[in-house]
Every structure is written in structure tokens, then in C-alpha cells.
Amino acid sequence: MDPVTRLIHAGEPPANPVRTVGPAIQRGSTVLLADSRDLYGDEINYGRTGLSAQSTLKSALEDLEGATAVELYPSGLAALTGAMLAVLKAGDHVLLTDGAYKPTRAFCQTALERFGVCLQIYSPDLSAEGIIALARPETRLIVLESPSSLTFEVQDVAAIAAAARARGILTLIDNTWAAGLLFKPLDQGVDISVQALTKYACGHSDVFMGSAATTSPAVADQLGAGVRELGWAVSGAEAYDILRGLRTLAVRLARHDSSARILAHWLTQQPQVLKVLHPALPDAPGHALWARDYSGACGLFGLVLRPAPEAAEHALLNSLKLFGLGFSWGGFESLALRSDPQLLVRSFPPRLGGPLFRLHVGLEDPADLIADLQGALAIYDQTAAA
Ligand SMILES: Cc1ncc(COP(=O)(O)O)c(C=O)c1O
């Protein structure tokens, strides 16, 4: 054969690569089939469906979530929006918690409304009865997020799921804070459990991915159809990264939890601090529900300081050395940000009495993190007094 042809066909990959502890990372849009009859059969015939790493990750997530089916999406937000698009149609009514991640709310208020879905926002403090009282004949979905983004209210997920199911309404929860490990929404009767795998499953702040898990065959069909129809796909290399993260999720979360509780407790004793919004603290909002439902906490919590000019808030954050200033969370590193600008869209803004911050406690030594915060709180005082 001509060298050009040989160049194109030489060096074929082995049909059965040796086994390693992780799956093979297959890069491929084209999937080669052995028999012409298989081209239109049931076998995987195109890479967008996901190859070995994606299917291994899906089965690991099924195990983690107690699910019978899991779909993968290219980000946590895509998992939330993709799952909603899969189960909703024009004319449906959706109840969404005011504590939802801000882009989830933005999607519901823009894309969903454009497609004829009507949205109503409820307070994260509302009881199951209160939420169901807002339901209409055309209510199709209740969207929960617990604890709430930024303000950390805990919802009575089991009661809301039971009340919704009795009315034939689906429930979907953003369970990213619990990372699929600290709380099991599907066991509590929720229909769809969504996680931003970008956070703790990844653990290193370098991959975007999301998942939606269910135990309902009907919902599984809808989620699967939604992924196929909308064309979501994730790469094998990134699926591998998330799977690798899952192997150490439990030990990392235990460290995030213990360090975050040390910092949260220390912060409650500082004169600049009004409130610490950490569900594991006995006087924090939602503590009783958290203690009933969760096997632990992660490294993310809120902090309300005594009021001071905005310049003091910036001075505090800018003086931090170990806490990076940035969005996202769930990685090995500590992060801090001001939350108030994000609360402006809330329909039921909580009365906190001072500026709200969010801390993500990473895997560093907690004593070093306390020293960093101590210096920053001193700067807060100095700037406020200047
Ligand atoms: C609670 C929550 N859900 C979902 C997401 C979205 O995840 P992603 O950034 O992967 O789209 C985030 C991101 O910060 C989040 O905090």
C-alpha cells in the first residue's frame, strides 16, 4: 500500500487494553462497529453517548446516590437546566426556592419563562404545607436547594417530597453542598438529585461537570431523552478526573468538615462577628433539620459581620493570604467572598443585620486559616475606625 494509506491505518489500538484501576480514557467521536447490522442496533454507535470512563463514572454515581440512573452534563448548571428542560413543558408551573443558586433562578426566570413555563418563588423557610399551598393544578415541579446558597437555610426535604408526591408533583434538589455523600435525597423520596460535580467530586477546582440521578424509570427515560435531544456530552478525560475525585471524596470531606467546624466555632467568639451560618452550629438556622438528615457538613458556610463601611469589607477580603478571592468551592483550597451583591435578586431577603460573607474552608491546617482570619478581622476593625 501507498505510504500515505499506511500512515492512516498503521498502529491500530488494542481491542482489549490491559486492566488498570481506573477505566480507559477513550477519546472518540467515531465508534467502529464490527458488523454492518450493528450500525443501527442497540450497541453504542457514537461517542457522544459516552464511552468507558463516562459509563464507569455513571455507575459509581448511581452507587453514591442510591440511584438506578444517572445522566452527566458539562457543568452543574447544565445538569440543573437540562433536568428541568427534560421534565417540563409549556403551560407547567414550577415552584423554586428563593435560596437557589443565582444562575438556577436566572434560567427559570428567562429561558423557562420564554418557553411558557410559569415560575413562582417560595421562601426557603416555608414548611412543606406552605409550599404545597402554593401549588396549582398545573404545578409540575418543586425545585429545592438545601442548605440554601449563601444563606444556608435547611429545607425539610422528606416532608416536601412526600407532600409533592401525594399531589403528583415532581421534586428536584440541588444537593451539591452534601456532595451526594452527606445527604441522600433519593432515599427521602426526591425524584431528581442534582450535583455540581465541579465542587467536591472534582475536588481540585479544575473540571466542570454535573449529574442528575433518579430512581424513577419514567424520570430516567425523560432525563436520558433530554440529554440525547439537547446533545449534552462530557469528555472521557474529564469523566476520569471526576471518578478519581470520588475515590477520595469521603476523606477530603471529613477534613473540610472538621476544619470548617473549628473555624465556625472560633468565629462565633470574635467580637466582629454577628452570626455564623453553619448548619452544624446548634443556634444556626436549620440546625435541627440538618442534625436529623445529614451525616456531616462540608467546608462551605456563611458569616455575618457587625456593620461597617463597605471599604472595610474590601479591606478584610484583600488582606487575606490563604483564602483566595473567588467563586466556586469544593476544591482543596480555601476561598472567601462577599455575598451581599448576590442577595439583591432575592424575593425574601433574609434580615441578617450586617454584611454577609461566604467562606470555603480548604484542606490547609485550620490553625493557619484562623491566623489568616484573625489578621483580616483586625484590618476590618482598623478600616472601619479610620
Ligand atoms: C449550589 C450550586 N449549584 C450549582 C452550581 C453550578 O455548578 P457549575 O459551576 O458546575 O455550573 C454551583 C456553582 O457554584 C453551586 O454553588
Side-chain angles (χ1 to χ4, degrees), residues 7 26 58 60 88 97 117 178 218 250 255 267 306 316 322 364 375:
L7 196 56
Q26 292 178 287
K58 277 187 189 184
L88 293 171
T97 171
V117 174
R255 166 83 173 187
L267 283 163
R306 295 195 182 283
L316 176 149
L322 295 176
E364 302 93 335

Side-chain angles (χ1 to χ4, degrees), residues 259-270 276 278 281 301:
S259 298
R261 287 197 216 195
I262 292 169
L263 265 67
H265 182 71
W266 178 82
L267 283 163
T268 59
Q269 297 165 343
Q270 305 313 305
V276 179
H278 188 307
L281 292 181
F301 65 92

Side-chain angles (χ1 to χ4, degrees), residues 73-80 99-104 145 147-150 174-177 194-199 207-210 300 327-329 358:
Y73 303 80
S75 71
L77 183 59
L80 290 156
Y101 174 57
K102 195 172 152 225
T104 306
E145 183 175 323
S148 299
S149 272
L150 307 170
D174 183 334
N175 192 38
T176 305
W177 190 87
V194 173
Q195 295 196 50
L197 300 168
T198 311
K199 314 297 177 199
V207 176
F208 279 105
M209 203 175 294
L300 193 75
F327 292 96
S328 203
W329 42 283
R358 188 181 75 181

Side-chain angles (χ1 to χ4, degrees), residues 22-46:
I25 299 175
Q26 292 178 287
R27 296 170 61 109
S29 49
T30 297
V31 169
L32 294 174
L33 297 152
D35 188 311
S36 146
R37 279 174 286 257
D38 295 336
L39 284 168
Y40 297 99
D42 293 334
E43 284 189 37
I44 291 177
N45 60 10
Y46 196 46

Side-chain angles (χ1 to χ4, degrees), residues 91-156:
D92 284 345
H93 175 243
V94 172
L95 288 164
L96 170 75
T97 171
D98 200 31
Y101 174 57
K102 195 172 152 225
T104 306
R105 171 200 201 94
F107 166 78
C108 293
Q109 287 175 326
T110 55
L112 274 192
E113 297 232 344
R114 208 164 59 235
F115 291 121
V117 174
C118 177
L119 177 71
Q120 189 166 352
I121 290 172
Y122 65 86
S123 163
D125 293 325
L126 204 56
S127 65
E129 299 75 41
I131 296 170
I132 288 298
L134 300 173
R136 306 176 190 168
E138 64 276 20
T139 304
R140 170 77 179 141
L141 180 70
I142 299 176
V143 180
L144 299 87
E145 183 175 323
S146 186
S148 299
S149 272
L150 307 170
T151 43
F152 300 91
E153 297 91 346
V154 181
Q155 297 192 267
D156 191 342

